[in-house]
């Protein structure tokens, strides 16, 4: 996701974590503000192009070598790069965040990666190989040229919620999604969102969330296949179908992030 998506998932998570998780993370991340998670949510993107952070560059996605729109699927052995993918990254940094042998700054860093990668794992094109997750596919948005990956990372969300200062806009969106989760459109299904959460198997949990997200690629990202979308204007009908899907993925990411962080803190303390 772009900044808006990541900040929003983190705000949602901060609305659902337990009091002890909030206290632990505020101490670990050295912040007493309500944006203690939101403000670290995009950190992983800020270091991926640095010399130090280069080893993390493939940690943000898994390139599913499937065949949309006929067939969507993810296979860990086939699709996770040797340099790592979002599945191994989430598993490894979850493990590090639980490791009492690591100094606090390393557990803080691990928590920042966990917060970011739970977010990215819920972006459909971060679970798809075609043209490097859509980065190589030219499309139109309000008449201008963008790549499809950027449309799903940022354009759809910005149109849905409006432009403005990222933290203010994200705050507004997260409040609306939190309300949908607690008492609105998602209230009845939210418990099913945690059905695949198995804290005994980090990779299996990440793969289940990845498969669910990848399946959206066939129906909503490439409904008529990757070739048919090239050059198309996506801010109209395509947006109308995609926006509710994207919104649910952001809500799921935030809700699952809270549950995952609760498990980490429960086990660590
Ligand atoms: N790794 C890590 N923390 C550890 C062990 C490994 O971050 N405690 C990282 C380093 C490598 C990646 O995992 O980038 C793959 O590790 P391996 O070489 O063991 O396959
Ligand atoms: N790994 C990691 N961080 C950890 C534990 C493991 O990065 N705290 C990496 C090392 C291997 C991969 O995960 O690349 C599999 O580890 P294991 O052999 O422990 O399953
Ligand atoms: N990305 C992806 N799948 C790939 C390559 C990249 O999902 N195979 C994502 C990571 C970033 C965005 O696309 O969110 C841009 O990546 P880059 O700057 O590496 O092109
Ligand atoms: Zn992206
Ligand atoms: Zn990322």
């Amino acid at each position: 996701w772009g900044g808006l998506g990541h900040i929003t998932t983190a705000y949602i998570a901060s609305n659902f974590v337990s009091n002890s998780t909030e206290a632990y993370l505020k101490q670990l991340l050295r912040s007493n503000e309500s944006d203690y998670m939101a403000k670290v949510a995009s950190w992983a993107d800020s270091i991926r192009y640095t010399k130090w952070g280069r080893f993390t560059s493939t940690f943000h996605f898994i390139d599913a070598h499937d065949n949309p729109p006929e067939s969507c699927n993810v296979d860990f052995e086939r699709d996770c790069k040797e340099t790592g993918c979002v599945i191994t990254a989430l598993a490894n940094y979850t493990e590090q965040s639980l490791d009492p042998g690591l100094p606090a700054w390393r557990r803080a860093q691990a928590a920042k990666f966990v917060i970011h990668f739970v977010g990215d794992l819920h972006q459909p094109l971060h679970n798809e190989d075609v043209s490097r997750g859509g980065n190589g596919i030219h499309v139109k948005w309000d008449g201008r040229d963008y790549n499809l990956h950027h449309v799903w990372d940022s354009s759809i969300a910005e149109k849905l919620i409006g432009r403005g200062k990222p933290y203010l806009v994200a705050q507004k969106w997260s409040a609306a999604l939190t309300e949908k989760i607690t008492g609105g459109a998602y209230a009845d299904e939210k418990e099913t969102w945690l059905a695949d959460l198995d804290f005994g198997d980090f990779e299996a949990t990440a793969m289940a969330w990845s498969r669910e997200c990848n399946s959206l690629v066939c129906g909503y990202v490439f409904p008529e296949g990757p070739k048919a979308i090239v050059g198309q204007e996506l801010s109209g009908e395509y947006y109308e179908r995609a926006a509710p899907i994207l919104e649910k993925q952001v809500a799921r990411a935030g809700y699952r992030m809270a549950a995952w962080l609760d498990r980490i803190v429960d086990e660590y303390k």
Side-chain angles (χ1 to χ4, degrees):
W1 304 114
L4 175 57
H6 280 293
I7 295 167
T8 302
T9 59
Y11 270 136
I12 294 169
S14 67
N15 289 334
F16 289 103
V17 289
S18 70
N19 291 340
S20 54
T21 299
E22 178 180 339
Y24 174 84
L25 288 177
K26 278 182 168 172
Q27 187 185 32
L28 189 66
L29 299 170
R30 297 168 173 280
S31 167
N32 244 320
E33 309 303 318
S34 59
D35 63 357
Y36 66 104
M37 275 200 247
K39 77 181 179 199
V40 302
S42 299
W43 171 79
D45 277 335
S46 73
I47 58 104
R48 55 188 292 241
Y49 301 107
T50 66
K51 191 176 171 202
W52 171 77
R54 206 178 304 163
F55 75 103
T56 65
S57 66
T58 63
F59 292 3
H60 300 250
F61 54 83
I62 180 165
D63 277 342
H65 291 71
D66 53 358
N67 185 32
E70 282 81 23
S71 160
C72 274
N73 49 76
V74 191
D75 181 313
F76 179 81
E77 300 298 333
R78 180 191 65 187
D79 300 325
C80 189
K81 293 187 196 302
E82 273 185 29
T83 51
C85 64
V86 68
I87 309 297
T88 53
L90 181 55
N92 289 343
Y93 287 112
T94 299
E95 228 173 282
Q96 289 184 35
S97 67
L98 286 165
D99 187 344
L102 291 176
W105 70 269
R106 284 285 305 278
R107 280 181 285 110
Q109 202 175 79
K112 292 193 281 186
F113 278 124
V114 166
I115 289 166
H116 186 86
F117 294 138
V118 171
D120 274 345
L121 183 54
H122 287 78
Q123 207 280 47
L125 281 169
H126 281 239
N127 297 270
E128 178 53 51
D129 175 57
V130 170
S131 251
R132 293 178 293 112
N135 277 290
I137 297 180
H138 295 270
V139 296
K140 300 274 183 202
W141 187 265
D142 287 337
R144 273 185 272 187
D145 287 318
Y146 287 93
N147 74 63
L148 182 65
H149 192 92
H150 181 272
V151 165
W152 277 86
D153 263 355
S154 302
S155 310
I156 296 171
E158 284 167 3
K159 185 180 173 87
L160 185 67
I161 201 70
R163 278 173 173 269
K165 295 194 165 145
Y167 282 84
L168 288 177
V169 174
Q171 176 83 265
K172 183 176 113 183
W173 194 17
S174 66
L177 290 178
T178 296
E179 174 55 34
K180 277 197 189 186
I181 294 168
T182 54
Y186 306 143
D188 291 341
E189 61 179 283
K190 66 173 180 291
E191 285 317 310
T192 70
W193 293 355
L194 304 183
D196 294 322
L197 194 161
D198 175 3
F199 209 65
D201 194 336
F202 306 151
E203 285 191 1
T205 303
M207 280 301 294
W209 295 346
S210 175
R211 287 198 182 92
E212 173 191 76
C213 189
N214 161 272
S215 76
L216 302 170
V217 172
C218 279
Y220 300 94
V221 178
F222 297 121
E224 285 149 53
K227 288 204 175 71
I229 205 170
V230 175
Q232 294 295 309
E233 172 61 54
L234 302 186
S235 66
E237 270 178 57
Y238 182 93
Y239 162 81
E240 298 293 340
R241 287 171 196 267
I245 297 300
L246 180 147
E247 195 164 46
K248 191 187 277 200
Q249 285 305 101
V250 170
R252 277 175 170 152
Y255 194 67
R256 286 168 174 167
M257 192 186 293
W260 197 250
L261 293 168
D262 278 350
R263 298 300 188 95
I264 289 175
V265 175
D266 279 351
E267 184 152 325
Y268 185 76
K269 69 181 185 203

